[in-house]
């Protein structure tokens, strides 16, 4: 049976909105995805029937809140194929990477090396530069091929015995290319380095089998994965979390506090200081459960059909060029393009007048833009609820921009 | 909405590219980046003995609005000093709705930007670069 996109769309209230007389063609999912009823309902249930702080209260509302919060942790763990106690709720994907850079980073010695790639989001570059300034570590960078993939052929020459961590985007937020994780993990093992993946653009496309990937850290954002804002996830192997010191201090993350000395709670609480984002975590748990129930074989085929339709359409527009893989293999539905003679922001602004939402600019990947001397790109990022009418509306808008703005 | 934004006057200003390029021997130069969108403006000026602009040139790596603004700014800059450029900036600020009142001169073309708050910085970036060059 083919993928029923209408059934998926019907679960997202915003997709039936009419804004300024136009339907919503939402193709900015890479920045923030929309949210289904299942998530909205879960958050509303918490806020209206179980709102309280977690962990410390003995009253019934506190118990409901704690149960819902810990169930959310279990849902996220199931989504990633790991143990709940290895799941840390953070404020977002950026916060998760910063947690690793600060906490795992504090275990590194001057001269130790971190390996990143040229296509990383700033959130997987800047925390390491800050660590470099604090701790004297070194940063190496894997270059990118002309079709927007991390050039893994260069890995062996960049890995050294001092390489302690390789941290890469699982899927590029600019080109949609997926990294070959097996090759990265195998290379890391030759020197005993750990591997972290920034899963911000991968998690929204279905459950992930982390044990099969063989990585050590994984981070993703709730709001890009159909969940609420203000919530993200860090997963790390239990033995790594055990060895890592806290990132932030405060309530909930302690064993015992005296003015002389404080001991730490075990993970995951060690890394969840203060009142966590309870409602958002519950919403993200619901989003993971919603994603697990979706037919991802059908959804991925549907997404790739849209990518092909988009590429075919862009090819027919004079001066439109795709930046990223030309094929459908090992890629996800994030497609960047340039329109010669028209700045990406002007393309995006024109598309808005057609009811089409996309992102334009450097996509928080300025080193990648510099490498290819780009002012920016226009980025189309899709979700399973998008359909051909969204792509058709976009192509109409791009043709209009090409005709009127150059 | 955007069809109204990209009106003929704005597109014409951008296409005119008034002052586009570099000066061989600038008295001063300045570059400004907009970290949010990545737009970049570099402005060269040659000043006369009174601190007035005798020649101006700009390089814009940015959107049509930024290009149009740099073009408009170059068209009125000759003979002005920092105070005169500040006055022109008020025209631009009025045009995009950041200040009360209507705008005159080439900046009146930017009136449609008033409805697009996220794009107003695109219009003002060349002024920021020129302000730095004159400071």
């Amino acid at each position: 049976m083919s993928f029923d996109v209408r059934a998926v769309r019907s679960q997202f209230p915003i997709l039936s909105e009419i804004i300024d007389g136009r339907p919503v063609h939402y193709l900015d999912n890479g920045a923030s995805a929309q949210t289904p009823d299942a998530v909205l309902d879960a958050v509303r249930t918490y806020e209206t029937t179980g709102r309280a702080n977690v962990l410390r209260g003995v009253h019934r509302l506190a118990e409901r809140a704690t149960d819902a919060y810990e169930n959310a942790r279990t849902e996220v763990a199931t989504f990633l194929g790991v143990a709940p106690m290895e799941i840390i709720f953070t404020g977002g994907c950026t916060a998760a990477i910063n947690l690793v850079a600060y906490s795992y980073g504090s275990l590194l010695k001057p001269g130790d090396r971190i390996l990143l790639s040229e296509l990383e989001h700033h959130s997987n570059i800047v925390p390491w530069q800050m660590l470099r300034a604090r701790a004297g570590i070194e940063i190496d960078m894997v270059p990118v091929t002309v079709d927007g993939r991390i050039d893994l052929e260069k890995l062996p020459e960049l890995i050294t015995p001092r390489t302690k961590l390789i941290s890469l985007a699982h899927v590029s937020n600019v080109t949609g290319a997926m990294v070959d994780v097996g090759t990265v993990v195998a290379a890391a093992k030759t020197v005993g380095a750990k591997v972290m993946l920034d899963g911000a653009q991968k998690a929204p496309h279905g459950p992930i089998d982390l044990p099969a990937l063989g990585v050590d850290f994984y981070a993703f954002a709730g709001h890009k994965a159909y969940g609420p804002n203000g919530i993200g996830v860090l997963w790390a192997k239990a033995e790594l979390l055990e060895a890592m010191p806290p990132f932030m201090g405060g309530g909930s993350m302690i064993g015992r506090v005296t003015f002389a000395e404080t001991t730490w709670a075990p993970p995951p609480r060690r890394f969840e200081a203060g009142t966590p984002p309870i409602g958002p975590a519950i919403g993200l748990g619901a989003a993971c459960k919603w994603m697990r129930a979706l037919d991802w074989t059908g959804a991925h085929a549907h997404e790739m059909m849209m990518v092909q339709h988009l590429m075919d359409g862009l090819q027919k527009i004079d001066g439109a060029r795709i930046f990223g893989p030309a094929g459908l293999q090992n890629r996800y539905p994030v497609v960047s393009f340039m329109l010669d003679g028209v700045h990406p922001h002007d393309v995006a602004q024109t598309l808005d007048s057609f009811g089409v939402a996309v992102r334009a600019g450097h996509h928080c990947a300025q080193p990648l833009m510099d490498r290819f001397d780009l002012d920016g790109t226009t980025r189309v990022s899709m979700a399973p609820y998008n359909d051909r009418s969204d792509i058709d509306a976009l192509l109409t808008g791009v043709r209009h921009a090409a005709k009127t703005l150059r | 909405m955007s069809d109204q934004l990209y009106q003929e006057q704005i597109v014409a200003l951008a296409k005119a590219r008034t002052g586009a390029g570099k000066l061989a021997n600038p008295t001063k130069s300045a570059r400004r980046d907009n970290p949010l969108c990545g737009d970049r403006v570099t402005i060269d000026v040659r000043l006369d003995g009174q601190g007035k602009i005798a020649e101006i040139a700009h390089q814009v790596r940015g959107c049509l609005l930024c290009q149009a603004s740099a073009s408009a700014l170059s068209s009125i800059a000759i003979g002005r000093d920092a105070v005169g450029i500040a006055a022109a900036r008020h025209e631009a600020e009025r045009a995009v709705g950041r200040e009360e009142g209507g705008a005159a001169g080439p900046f009146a073309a930017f009136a449609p930007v008033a409805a697009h708050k996220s794009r107003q910085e695109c219009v003002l970036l060349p002024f920021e670069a020129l302000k730095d060059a004159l400071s």
Side-chain angles (χ1 to χ4, degrees):
Chain A
M1 199 177 124
S2 65
F3 182 69
D4 187 353
V5 66
R6 273 194 207 174
V8 177
R9 289 180 69 81
S10 70
Q11 299 173 57
F12 289 78
I14 205 167
L15 299 180
S16 56
E17 284 287 301
I18 300 294
I19 297 177
D20 293 330
R22 295 179 188 279
V24 175
H25 296 292
Y26 191 77
L27 294 167
D28 193 20
N29 296 284
S32 215
Q34 298 301 340
T35 294
D37 285 321
V39 172
L40 298 169
D41 291 347
V43 175
R44 184 171 174 78
T45 298
Y46 161 70
E47 298 289 357
T48 55
T49 69
R51 183 181 163 94
N53 211 329
V54 291
L55 296 178
R56 291 175 297 275
V58 295
H59 55 79
R60 291 165 200 222
L61 286 181
E63 288 195 352
R64 277 189 183 183
T66 303
D67 282 350
Y69 182 67
E70 292 305 327
N71 283 341
R73 196 189 304 280
T74 301
E75 286 292 351
V76 173
T78 307
F79 177 76
L80 297 176
V82 299
M85 291 302 103
E86 295 176 326
I87 297 294
I88 295 157
F89 285 124
T90 66
C93 192
T94 297
I97 296 172
N98 273 273
L99 193 164
V100 176
Y102 187 91
S103 177
Y104 177 76
S106 73
L107 304 174
L108 301 182
K109 306 275 188 300
D112 283 347
R113 308 184 82 88
I114 306 274
L115 185 54
L116 311 173
S117 91
E118 200 170 28
L119 61 63
E120 296 310 311
H121 190 283
H122 295 164
S123 61
N124 194 26
I125 298 173
V126 181
W128 306 111
Q129 291 175 322
M130 292 165 71
L131 175 64
R132 179 172 64 188
R134 279 196 308 274
I137 59 123
E138 303 288 341
I139 296 172
D140 298 306
M141 185 269 290
V142 192
V144 169
T145 62
V146 289
D147 62 346
R149 291 187 183 279
I150 299 172
D151 189 354
L152 294 183
E153 286 186 11
K154 299 286 195 305
L155 259 190
E157 65 199 69
L158 289 163
I159 290 179
T160 77
R162 295 300 299 270
T163 304
K164 299 298 176 193
L165 179 72
I166 304 174
S167 185
L168 302 173
H170 197 175
V171 168
S172 164
N173 74 313
V174 179
T175 70
M178 181 170 71
V179 71
D180 177 356
V181 180
T183 299
V184 176
V185 169
K189 276 187 178 161
T190 62
V191 293
K194 307 299 180 198
V195 175
M196 175 156 84
L197 294 180
D198 165 2
Q201 300 295 332
K202 177 68 175 68
H205 301 287
I208 299 162
D209 185 351
L210 285 181
L213 287 180
V215 299
D216 302 281
F217 298 98
Y218 201 88
F220 74 94
H223 68 100
K224 296 185 202 295
Y226 320 108
N229 289 307
I231 186 74
V233 168
L234 172 67
W235 167 82
K237 285 181 177 167
E239 62 266 30
L240 282 167
L241 291 175
E242 285 291 346
M244 286 161 53
F247 174 35
M248 290 194 291
S252 301
M253 50 72 72
I254 51 91
R256 170 89 180 134
V257 178
T258 66
F259 273 97
E261 185 187 34
T262 293
T263 59
W264 314 136
R269 281 170 41 216
R270 183 187 300 167
F271 303 101
E272 295 181 354
T275 297
I278 304 166
I282 290 166
L284 179 56
C288 287
K289 187 176 181 181
W290 180 84
M291 283 194 282
R292 283 199 300 116
L294 199 70
D295 161 24
W296 282 100
T297 305
H300 188 68
H302 171 69
E303 289 176 337
M304 290 301 107
M305 177 278 292
M306 290 189 290
V307 169
Q308 189 65 59
H309 184 48
L310 170 62
M311 287 177 163
D312 291 346
L314 287 174
Q315 244 174 8
K316 292 176 190 148
I317 297 172
D318 184 36
R321 291 176 292 132
I322 287 169
F323 174 51
L328 301 181
Q329 295 303 307
N330 294 322
R331 72 125 62 231
Y332 278 79
V334 177
V335 180
S336 272
F337 69 93
M338 288 79 73
L339 183 62
D340 288 345
V342 186
H343 192 275
H345 282 163
D346 299 319
V347 175
Q349 191 81 63
T350 302
L351 289 174
D352 176 64
S353 70
F354 285 79
V356 179
V358 296
R359 180 58 65 96
H362 54 62
H363 312 296
C364 297
Q366 286 181 332
L368 182 64
M369 299 294 123
D370 290 347
R371 158 72 172 78
F372 291 96
D373 195 28
L374 297 174
D375 291 336
T377 72
T378 304
R379 182 186 73 179
V380 186
S381 50
M382 296 160 244
Y385 45 65
N386 289 121
D387 60 18
R388 282 175 74 99
S389 77
D390 296 326
I391 305 301
D392 288 337
L394 176 128
L395 291 169
T396 301
V398 176
R399 282 191 288 268
H400 184 79
K403 196 170 133 192
T404 58
L405 297 184
R406 62 183 183 188
Chain B
M1 287 190 298
S2 296
D3 284 342
Q4 293 163 7
L5 174 61
Y6 296 114
Q7 286 181 6
E8 268 180 38
Q9 283 177 297
I10 291 182
V11 176
L13 276 170
K15 285 184 177 172
R17 294 169 51 79
T18 305
K22 293 181 186 177
L23 294 185
N25 296 299
T27 314
K28 287 186 172 178
S29 296
R31 190 182 98 183
R32 269 295 184 115
D33 291 78
N34 181 342
L36 293 179
C37 64
D39 282 359
R40 173 178 295 177
V41 176
T42 306
I43 288 194
D44 296 340
V45 287
R46 188 171 63 77
L47 302 177
D48 67 14
Q50 284 79 48
K52 291 181 177 172
I53 297 171
E55 270 190 287
I56 185 167
H58 63 80
Q59 299 163 75
V60 174
R61 289 197 71 162
C63 64
L64 188 135
L65 298 180
C66 193
Q67 292 172 32
S69 174
S71 191
L73 181 55
S74 296
S75 75
I76 56 91
I78 306 297
R80 293 190 189 231
D81 57 11
V83 174
I85 293 298
R89 181 179 176 131
H90 286 303
E91 294 288 344
E93 299 249 15
R94 280 197 288 276
V96 302
R98 290 198 172 191
E99 290 184 13
E100 294 288 321
F107 301 105
F110 293 98
V113 186
H116 298 269
K117 204 171 177 185
S118 65
R119 304 298 302 278
Q120 291 169 6
E121 292 298 328
C122 308
V123 176
L124 299 175
L125 193 64
F127 285 91
E128 294 291 325
L130 182 52
K131 187 179 165 188
D132 285 355
L134 294 175
S135 64

